[in-house]
Amino acid sequence: MEETFPVVQRLLIVAVAVILALLSILALWETVTSVWKLLEGNHLSAAVATGADSVFLTVILLELLHTVISRGPILEQTQEFIVIGITSVIRHGLSLVATAGISTAAGVTPPSSRDTVINLAINSASVLFLVSALW
C-alpha cells in the first residue's frame, strides 16, 4: 500500500502534464488560425487583441505544465502558482480593455465605462495582493 501511492501520484502527474501539453498546442494553433483569419479580413486591431489574449492563455497553460512537472519544495510551487495567478489577472485586464476598444471600433455597444473601471480596479487590487503575497 505504501508503494502504491507514489506510483499513482506519478501516473496522475504524467496524465495532467500530457493534457496540459495538448491544451497548450491547441491554444497555440487556435491563436494562429484566429489571428490569420482576422488579418485576412483586414482587422488588424482585432487580430492584435485576439493574438495577445490567446498567447497569454498559452503562456498560462505552459506555466501550469512547468509547475506540475517540477517536483520542487512546496514553497517554490506556491510561488509559481502565484505567478500564474498574476499572469491570469493581467490577461483578464487586457481582455477587458481590448473588448471595450474593439466593441467601439466595430460599432458594437461597448460595456459601460463604469463597469470597465470597476473591473480594472478589482484586477489592479488583485495584482497588488498577489504581488505582495509573492514578495
Side-chain angles (χ1 to χ4, degrees), residues 14-32:
V14 168
V16 169
V18 168
I19 290 170
L20 284 171
L22 290 173
L23 288 175
S24 298
I25 292 168
L26 288 174
L28 192 57
W29 177 255
E30 175 65 23
T31 300
V32 171

Side-chain angles (χ1 to χ4, degrees), residues 60-126:
I60 291 167
L61 289 170
L62 290 173
E63 286 178 355
L64 281 170
L65 176 63
H66 177 265
T67 303
V68 166
I69 291 174
S70 68
R71 309 258 305 162
I74 191 71
L75 181 62
E76 184 178 311
Q77 288 182 339
T78 304
Q79 291 172 344
E80 290 175 2
F81 274 112
I82 291 173
V83 169
I84 292 168
I86 292 169
T87 307
S88 298
V89 172
I90 290 172
R91 175 182 177 253
H92 184 257
L94 290 173
S95 176
L96 286 171
V97 172
T99 302
I102 291 173
S103 298
T104 304
V108 178
T109 305
S112 72
S113 297
R114 183 175 187 265
D115 290 342
T116 303
V117 169
I118 289 172
N119 282 330
L120 288 174
I122 292 170
N123 277 348
S124 300
S126 299

Side-chain angles (χ1 to χ4, degrees), residues 79 82 129-135:
Q79 291 172 344
I82 291 173
F129 175 75
L130 289 170
V131 167
S132 65
L134 184 62
W135 181 48

Side-chain angles (χ1 to χ4, degrees), residues 24-43:
S24 298
I25 292 168
L26 288 174
L28 192 57
W29 177 255
E30 175 65 23
T31 300
V32 171
T33 56
S34 62
V35 168
W36 186 261
K37 287 177 187 176
L38 288 169
L39 287 175
E40 284 179 340
N42 293 326
H43 302 291

